[in-house]
Amino acid sequence: MRLTAAALTAFAATSLLAASAFAQSHDHAAMGHGAHGQAAAMDHSAMIPRATPGQTGQAAITNGAGAEIGKATLTQGATGLLIKVEATGLTPGWHGIHIHATGQCAAPFTSAGAHINHTDPKTPHGLLNAQGPDDGDLPNLYAAADGSAKAEFFTTKARISQDGPGQWLWDADGSALVIHANPDDHNSQPIGGAGDRVACAVLKAG
């Protein structure tokens, strides 16, 4: 069957209208899906506990002889805690560093107790542990050849604000930041082979 020029023109116009309608319906569907995704993301983020950023605190780090060798500065973020560590007099190399449950630092620092880990059952130690980490786990701290160390750690498992995500470090008995003699392997129990506690800072309000 042969089509006239007028019929061909009408057929082309109908095809263009159909394609345009399909594209518009597809765009509206995509926009609707995007809006739904954005709303879902907003709803999800609204469910995450948040703290008011900006609260700060500072704690002296002491060694086993009771000498002050540095300081820890805590700064509250909306979703976690920033911990800045500055220390001297450490053995060169890597050192495990953890947050402990009790704000006491009498050498050999066992009075600081175990890691903050208030869940029940307790979460195993280790940032690389498939069932971990516990709330007190942090990456290792590195001391240079002269024994000095400077580092910042961020954890969503702890806070100094009364409200927000993580364990409250400034509770009635405070908490402690403990530096160990050896590196933490982030996996084995109970402390990743980090060894003796060689330095400690009491974390408490005021």
Side-chain angles (χ1 to χ4, degrees):
M1 179 178 67
R2 297 182 62 187
L3 296 176
T4 64
L8 285 170
T9 301
F11 176 77
T14 302
S15 299
L16 286 171
L17 285 171
S20 175
F22 174 79
Q24 288 179 9
S25 67
H26 181 73
D27 288 344
H28 283 307
M31 288 172 63
H33 178 73
H36 175 73
Q38 284 184 337
M42 289 174 64
D43 289 344
H44 178 68
S45 88
M47 293 169 58
I48 299 173
R50 296 178 74 86
T52 301
Q55 189 170 3
T56 63
Q58 198 168 87
I61 301 172
T62 58
N63 63 16
E68 185 174 328
I69 62 167
K71 63 183 178 181
T73 303
L74 313 178
T75 305
Q76 182 66 56
T79 60
L81 185 67
L82 184 67
I83 304 172
K84 182 179 181 180
V85 174
E86 299 170 277
T88 59
L90 298 174
T91 301
W94 293 101
H95 295 266
I97 180 170
H98 307 130
I99 306 171
H100 288 247
T102 306
Q104 295 182 19
C105 283
F109 310 128
T110 53
S111 58
H115 293 187
I116 55 167
N117 196 18
H118 299 169
T119 57
D120 192 16
K122 303 301 183 190
T123 306
H125 165 76
L127 295 175
L128 300 179
N129 190 308
Q131 282 75 48
D134 71 43
D135 292 346
D137 288 341
L138 294 172
N140 286 315
L141 175 70
Y142 184 78
D146 64 356
S148 65
K150 292 183 179 181
E152 287 187 330
F153 305 99
F154 184 81
T155 176
T156 60
K157 304 281 190 175
R159 59 184 165 87
I160 57 175
S161 171
Q162 284 194 329
D163 300 304
Q167 304 291 344
W168 188 31
L169 302 185
W170 289 352
D171 58 5
D173 63 355
S175 306
L177 189 68
V178 175
I179 300 174
H180 290 263
N182 305 321
D184 180 351
D185 66 19
H186 302 304
N187 194 20
S188 61
Q189 304 304 305
I191 57 168
D196 293 340
R197 304 176 183 191
V198 297
C200 184
V202 174
L203 309 178
K204 61 181 181 180

